[in-house]
Amino acid sequence: MNKTRRLEKLVKERCLAGNLQLEEAVSLFHRLLSPNTHRPPSILAINNLLKSIAKTKHPSRFPTVLTLFNRLKGTTTRTRDTGASLSLTIHTFGLVLDCCCLMGRVDLGFCVLGQSLREGCGVNAIMFGSLIRELCTQKQMQNAAKVLAKMPLLGCAPDLVIYNTLMDGYCRKGNIRMGLELFRLMSKEGSCFKPNVVTYSILIHGLCKKGKIAVAMKMYEEMAAKGVIPNVNCSSILIDGLCKNGDVVAARKVFEQMPSFGVVANLYTYNSLINGLCKNGDVIAAQPVFEEMSVHGIVADLYTYNSLIDGLCSHGDTNSAFRMFDKMVAEGLGPNVVTYNILTHSLCSQGNMNCALKMFEEMIAKRLVPDVYTYNDLILGFCNVGDIDKAFVVYEKVVNSGLHANVYTYTTLLKGCCKEGDFLRASELLQEMIRRGVAPDVHTYNCLIHGLSVIGEWNCAIRVFREMVNQGISPNVVTFNALMKSLCKHRQTCEAEKLVGIMEDIGVEPNVITYTIVLQGYVLESHLDKATELLERMASKGIEPDQHSYSILINGYCKNGRINEALRMVDKMMHHGLQPNEVIFDILLNALSNCKNLDEVKQVISEIGDRRNHLEGKK
């Protein structure tokens, strides 16, 4: 056996072993191309080496394949005896083209395709598949579609894999319409291939992401009817999509149908269902699903436990959440930042700041790095319990840790300052926020405006409002409501009502709170007729007054001794389907208590009850 044959045999053995490293493969490649060989090396040996290099985990594997390929092109390998040369094949070009695409250089991939045509090696569907896959990854969908259209011109028929790749590209880009169009082309009579389970999985995933759950469900049912049996991946995608869109009932139905298709749920399936149930507030139903996992030999992971801990905390059962936390640790799973954030958030929401700080310290002890969400929860917790100084201590930790405080961090602190009446500190914080490059949003300014309005600082509130508009931030209904509240407190209700018109002019829809603020202002100024007119105007604009709106007006009439009008307002309220509550009855009883005739009081209350019963009878 000559030297070249022995070397080729070695190459074959090393490539088949599956443990060939890049350095050894490159050395073997150069030995194969040594000018001292008696005949050119087998192109099969060259291709095997290039393929093995591409399969290694080395970070420079793809550029290495390209470098070696360039050496092949630049070298005329001839033997001393026969002058025979090495001929590249379509498989060589295909391997190199795929490597170009995998390193994100689709432009070089097209160059290799052109070289293959010029060398007379031709092209195949696999090469086009690589190009289309990378174009889809880069979201160049128009170019990917053009490549698909050119395939028949070069004698290549697209296959199912290529159609699925293109469809996946469209769906990932959110263009579900084009994905469905491809699906229709594939499903047409006379088509060379039919959609498979991968095709359906791609479309169902795309439809779920777009919120088109009904269409996704229909497609899932349709595939089974057409003899395409859903696999675990397809079923899990649908379950996950249904859960994320809040339809856990349908998700459970799909889950329960899986055994009828011979499909066994995996960890992804269980995690999707458990997370969906917990997010939708049904942590009790999630527990037996969790227990079922272990029965089927499926080991829960960190995501499973985090879902359950979050569900229990949202349900208000922090004690059970901590028991689940202990179980997770006992199973050998270390909690991550998400786990601690869930528990810290729950403790802060309950005002249990001592335990929340202990959790924070435990995180640090376990060398877990808190994120901005951890700090934000602590800041909010301290603000809610009125300890603004500790909230600022936590804020300093954010700054010193190198994390960037976000708009939520500053807005929470600013709101806490306003709640404590410390507007100087709030103003300084706003300036610091802007100085650090964090743009205040409408909620930030609303906190200041609301706080200033509460203490009657009308001029300061207007100044903040103007600054907000100058920053290009559009006020919302909450902004206007705060300003109106301040105006009404200063007995400038007519000015407050003018703001309603301004709101409508700039496209901000007034709500029932807006009108109720102005209505209360008129009542405080004893302009009851204007208040009644406003109530009528409210209804004419399609904004139904609530019990609070009516109680303000009824109270105003009663305080002004206009009992009959108050009763007529009660009657009107009931005609609109609202029943007088205890507050309204107390207002009426208080107003009627001055009547000397107790029977008259009883009669009035009885009449209100009769009217209510009459209306309920009509319904």
Side-chain angles (χ1 to χ4, degrees), residues 13-148:
E13 287 170 355
R14 294 299 296 121
C15 288
L16 285 171
N19 60 355
L20 187 63
Q21 299 301 306
L22 184 133
E23 292 79 8
E24 186 189 351
V26 171
S27 174
L28 288 169
F29 182 90
H30 289 310
R31 285 172 65 188
L32 279 172
L33 292 186
S34 168
N36 298 321
T37 55
H38 293 279
R39 67 172 179 82
S42 159
I43 190 62
L44 181 62
I46 294 289
N47 287 349
N48 282 338
L49 275 175
L50 293 177
K51 190 176 180 180
S52 294
I53 292 168
K55 281 184 175 180
T56 66
K57 301 296 180 185
H58 199 283
S60 63
R61 59 195 183 278
F62 301 135
T64 301
V65 169
L66 195 57
T67 302
L68 297 178
F69 173 69
N70 287 331
R71 186 186 167 189
L72 278 175
K73 288 190 302 163
T75 305
T76 305
T77 308
R78 296 181 180 276
T79 60
R80 289 171 298 178
D81 302 329
T82 64
S85 62
L86 176 69
S87 296
L88 304 181
T89 67
I90 191 170
H91 301 296
T92 320
F93 285 105
L95 276 166
V96 177
L97 184 149
D98 192 49
C99 287
C100 291
C101 290
L102 287 168
M103 58 192 277
R105 294 296 305 272
V106 71
D107 55 331
L108 293 178
F110 278 109
C111 291
V112 173
L113 187 80
Q115 288 169 18
S116 183
L117 286 166
R118 286 194 297 274
E119 294 287 330
C121 294
V123 290
N124 59 24
I126 296 169
M127 296 165 84
F128 281 108
S130 295
L131 291 167
I132 289 170
R133 182 196 66 224
E134 182 54 30
L135 287 168
C136 289
T137 301
Q138 295 181 16
K139 296 185 178 178
Q140 296 185 45
M141 298 313 300
Q142 280 188 323
N143 288 335
K146 285 177 184 176
V147 172
L148 179 71

Side-chain angles (χ1 to χ4, degrees), residues 176-192:
I176 197 71
R177 185 183 63 80
M178 283 302 297
L180 287 167
E181 185 60 37
L182 272 177
F183 178 76
R184 277 190 284 271
L185 281 172
M186 293 164 68
S187 305
K188 266 172 47 174
E189 291 252 355
S191 173
C192 297

Side-chain angles (χ1 to χ4, degrees), residues 277-388:
L277 288 164
C278 291
K279 291 284 183 196
N280 283 276
D282 200 354
V283 68
I284 294 166
Q287 298 275 8
V289 178
F290 172 65
E291 289 160 12
E292 188 185 310
M293 285 177 72
S294 57
V295 173
H296 291 290
I298 296 168
V299 180
D301 64 2
L302 192 56
Y303 184 88
T304 323
Y305 280 104
N306 281 349
S307 297
L308 286 162
I309 290 167
D310 187 43
L312 289 163
C313 286
S314 299
H315 194 62
D317 193 353
T318 313
N319 291 333
S320 294
F322 272 100
R323 282 196 292 273
M324 187 62 70
F325 177 86
D326 293 338
K327 179 179 169 63
M328 178 181 77
V329 173
E331 293 288 335
L333 284 170
N336 61 5
V337 174
V338 175
T339 321
Y340 279 104
N341 281 355
I342 292 164
L343 290 165
T344 305
H345 177 79
S346 181
L347 291 165
C348 289
S349 299
Q350 295 168 12
N352 191 347
M353 297 312 297
N354 288 333
C355 285
L357 279 175
K358 281 180 184 176
M359 293 300 292
F360 177 76
E361 287 162 7
E362 191 178 307
M363 278 179 79
I364 304 295
K366 290 190 175 179
R367 303 197 175 188
L368 292 170
V369 181
D371 57 23
V372 72
Y373 301 104
T374 320
Y375 290 110
N376 282 351
D377 280 330
L378 289 169
I379 289 168
L380 179 63
F382 281 121
C383 286
N384 284 342
V385 298
D387 198 340
I388 193 72

